[in-house]
Amino acid sequence: MASTCAVRPEIAQTIDDAARGELAALMPSQQWRNYSDLAFQDADGNPITLADFSGKKLLVNFWATWCAPCREEMPFLDALEAKYGGEDFEVVAISLDMGSDGPVAAGLFLEEIGADNLKLFADPSYKLFERLRNDAVTLGLPATVLVGEDGCELGVLQGPAHWNSPDGHRVIETLLEI
């Protein structure tokens, strides 16, 4: 179970104000969950958690190769990582393709679309999705959680978005200023 972070209404308002147009469905956090312990694996199959990204603001996206809207969203996320990725921000796109072949399929898909900026992260156990569903974060894929440098949830988006757009850029630039 995720621990709770401090309630920060001013941040909720700032995110709500930035979430317009293409990103109007982005909802500021209502629960302020800490996702530092969210566990998955890197491209080499090594265990990793969001705590490994401590100090960075994150756009954590949950996707799968069998999800058509997810496939459509990946190039936008790759472009976002190219534009903003660095010491202060990272797009962490976690494939939920199941089984031992899941990460392989996800890696091949990222290669196929030329996603040169996104690192491969995966949860072939699908436990992350179960946790998100149990936390009432999402009902389906894709799902995106904006996370502060302390691992705390700042915003949630259910469904796909055109992140590489003026509306998406405004949200990420606002996140970086918080």
Side-chain angles (χ1 to χ4, degrees):
M1 190 64 139
S3 62
T4 303
C5 299
V7 174
R8 297 167 70 188
E10 72 287 353
I11 288 180
Q13 188 61 56
T14 301
I15 289 174
D16 197 41
D17 291 346
R20 298 189 311 266
E22 292 280 347
L23 275 292
L26 175 67
M27 302 303 295
S29 182
Q30 301 291 314
Q31 302 299 320
W32 306 100
R33 290 173 277 248
N34 188 317
Y35 281 118
S36 296
D37 66 336
L38 208 64
F40 48 101
Q41 64 187 39
D42 66 15
D44 297 322
N46 299 313
I48 189 170
T49 67
L50 284 188
D52 293 311
F53 298 88
S54 180
K56 281 188 178 185
K57 293 180 178 161
L58 306 173
L59 182 154
V60 184
N61 180 266
F62 301 93
W63 68 285
T65 59
W66 47 261
C67 163
C70 300
R71 294 172 70 95
E72 183 180 322
E73 186 178 44
M74 282 297 113
F76 298 120
L77 293 172
D78 186 61
L80 204 66
E81 176 62 19
K83 183 171 178 68
Y84 295 103
E87 289 183 25
D88 298 326
F89 175 79
E90 187 165 344
V91 174
V92 179
I94 304 172
S95 164
L96 299 180
D97 288 279
M98 294 174 61
S100 58
D101 291 343
V104 173
L108 290 172
F109 172 73
L110 292 175
E111 281 181 34
E112 176 187 314
I113 65 165
D116 298 327
N117 303 293
L118 294 176
K119 295 176 187 167
L120 176 63
F121 298 110
D123 175 30
S125 73
Y126 210 64
K127 288 181 182 172
L128 287 182
F129 183 79
E130 292 170 8
R131 175 173 169 179
L132 294 171
R133 187 180 56 216
N134 292 340
D135 284 353
V137 173
T138 190
L139 301 173
L141 295 177
T144 303
V145 180
L146 297 181
V147 177
E149 60 276 340
D150 54 0
C152 292
E153 169 190 287
L154 300 175
V156 175
L157 177 68
Q158 295 190 37
H162 292 276
W163 285 100
N164 190 32
S165 67
D167 295 324
H169 296 173
R170 182 179 50 255
V171 167
I172 298 308
E173 289 165 10
T174 298
L175 175 67
L176 290 170
E177 291 171 7
I178 293 173

